[in-house]
Amino acid sequence: MSYQLLGAPLSLYSGKVRGYLRWKNVAFTEVLSNREVYEKEIVPRLGYGMVPVLITPDDETVQDTTEIIDYLEAHEPGPSVYPQGPVQKLAALLLELFGDEWLLISAMHYRWAYNEDFAYQEFGNTAFPDLPSDERYARGKKAAEKFKGSLPFLGITPKTVPAIEQTYEAFLRAFDTHLASHPFLFGTRPSIGDYGLLGPLYAHNYRDPASGEIMERIAPLVADWARRCHAPQHSLSGEFVSDDEVPETLMPILKMSATEHLPMLQDCLTDLQKWVSDNPDASKLPRITGFHKYKIGGVEEDRAVFPYPLWMLQRVLDHFAALQGADKTAADDLLKRIGAESLITMNITPRLTRENFKLVFAQ
Ligand SMILES: N[C@@H](CCC(=O)N[C@@H](CS)C(=O)NCC(=O)O)C(=O)O
């Protein structure tokens, strides 16, 4: 049996893994995560509903796109999406986090502001592929309520919408400029950072028709990159740029991650620590630990505190903490240049880990 990817065309995080699997040239079959697959496979395996899920040839279950990619990196041959160069790897991990968790805001906003009917139909096509089209739409609308309803939890409100659009367009322009001189983030080979960006930029912001038009108009090279990152199965390895160089054209994007995303992550950490002192006996974490203020494009709004992105940030910090000598100096320099020097002394305490598909405190 080959790998099975349980996922769906409309799913942001399925696109991240699908693009990676195709580039890595891993044999896999995609199984549409319809209602029956949720009930018979996904929920029994995870204990809750979430995609994508990877089922390995040994019938192991892997969830969370980062864990899926790391599993395949450890078990499959061929070139890696992790740059050998420590500074490139640091930047790539930061950009994976930025794509997965910060660009999620624009991905959710654009889907529901400009592609509502398309999305309802897609939710129905995924969950109930055998029903007639109008019934798929009606049932898709019901199934989509939870997702559309999550917008305020992500800080997407009428107050923040103009800032979300402004910062997304600035990101698109910066990435388009970078892509004029490099096919991927760090050269001719896609990195873990490319796949982090691919989630929001493919399934939502390229594939949703109205969002795709916006991308084609503002940043045609980003649309082209999304197509290439998600291209059908191929075995083109490419290379990362030499000498551990982080292309100058990535600096504006790394600075966005430092000035926009990092303050929110720092605030989440403070909130998590407060939650822990208020709940000293808790061993596992709820998905949301409370509400806080965040800022996007200078506009402040309430948003739920999600501890999960801190687990991803911990990966970035673990990589950084292992560096020594000239590598550490070069990594410090990058963090200072992009305005992320607070990462140099940051520690995620209590330490987080994932067990049985849940975020828990490390023992
Ligand atoms: N961090 C997770 C996020 C996965 C995720 O949010 N998947 C969405 C679909 S794209 C989902 O199934 N959401 C269900 C839910 O949030 O309850 C990953 O990287 O796998």
Side-chain angles (χ1 to χ4, degrees), residues 10-14 16 38 48-52 63-66 68 100-101 146-147 204 287 308 312:
L10 88 166
S11 145
L12 184 152
Y13 295 96
S14 300
K16 175 184 174 188
Y38 260 90
Y48 59 95
M50 183 77 80
V51 288
Q63 204 294 310
D64 192 87
T65 52
T66 298
I68 292 174
D100 263 36
E101 296 293 333
K146 168 175 132 185
F147 291 86
H204 284 227
R287 200 157 171 195
Y308 169 85
M312 287 189 79

Side-chain angles (χ1 to χ4, degrees), residues 77-305:
S80 173
V81 287
Y82 288 102
Q84 288 280 326
V87 181
Q88 278 180 359
K89 184 170 173 183
L90 178 65
L93 288 168
L94 274 171
L95 291 173
E96 183 198 12
L97 170 56
F98 181 70
D100 263 36
E101 296 293 333
W102 183 258
L103 291 182
L104 171 69
I105 298 172
S106 48
M108 291 298 279
H109 160 63
Y110 280 91
R111 168 161 290 176
W112 293 109
Y114 300 113
N115 303 272
E116 195 172 349
D117 277 337
F118 172 81
Y120 289 147
Q121 188 68 52
E122 282 288 290
F123 270 88
N125 294 348
T126 306
F128 310 101
D130 300 327
L131 292 181
S133 178
D134 54 341
E135 273 187 56
R136 274 183 266 146
Y137 178 91
R139 297 194 55 180
K141 191 167 179 181
K142 186 111 196 65
E145 267 166 14
K146 168 175 132 185
F147 291 86
K148 192 177 175 209
S150 73
L151 297 185
F153 290 84
L154 293 168
I156 304 167
T157 67
K159 187 176 167 197
T160 51
V161 160
I164 292 170
E165 298 197 350
Q166 206 179 17
T167 54
Y168 172 64
E169 290 190 13
F171 163 79
L172 279 184
R173 291 197 175 91
F175 194 20
D176 201 70
T177 301
H178 168 77
L179 291 168
S181 39
H182 297 278
F184 297 101
L185 289 172
F186 299 96
T188 53
R189 181 189 297 189
S191 70
I192 186 71
D194 288 272
Y195 292 108
L197 300 183
L198 187 66
L201 295 180
Y202 174 73
H204 284 227
N205 290 2
Y206 171 82
R207 188 177 174 276
D208 288 353
S211 308
E213 273 174 32
I214 294 169
M215 184 186 283
E216 294 280 7
R217 177 169 50 78
I218 295 179
L221 296 180
V222 176
D224 178 61
W225 163 91
R227 282 188 288 273
R228 287 185 287 106
C229 272
H230 191 261
Q233 198 89 0
H234 54 289
S235 56
L236 297 173
S237 73
E239 295 304 333
F240 296 125
V241 286
S242 57
D243 300 327
D244 201 18
E245 187 206 335
V246 175
E248 239 354 88
T249 44
L250 286 185
M251 292 304 153
I253 300 174
L254 288 164
K255 284 181 184 163
M256 284 176 193
S257 123
T259 53
E260 293 276 305
H261 196 191
L262 186 55
M264 178 171 102
L265 293 167
Q266 279 169 315
D267 223 51
C268 282
L269 179 58
T270 309
D271 281 314
L272 172 71
Q273 289 166 340
K274 182 175 175 317
W275 187 87
V276 171
S277 68
D278 292 345
N279 298 273
D281 300 327
S283 62
K284 59 179 195 221
L285 278 154
R287 200 157 171 195
I288 291 174
T289 54
F291 280 83
H292 67 161
K293 302 270 179 213
Y294 90 115
K295 269 192 186 167
I296 184 158
V299 178
E300 192 175 69
E301 184 53 291
D302 294 316
R303 177 186 151 104
V305 180

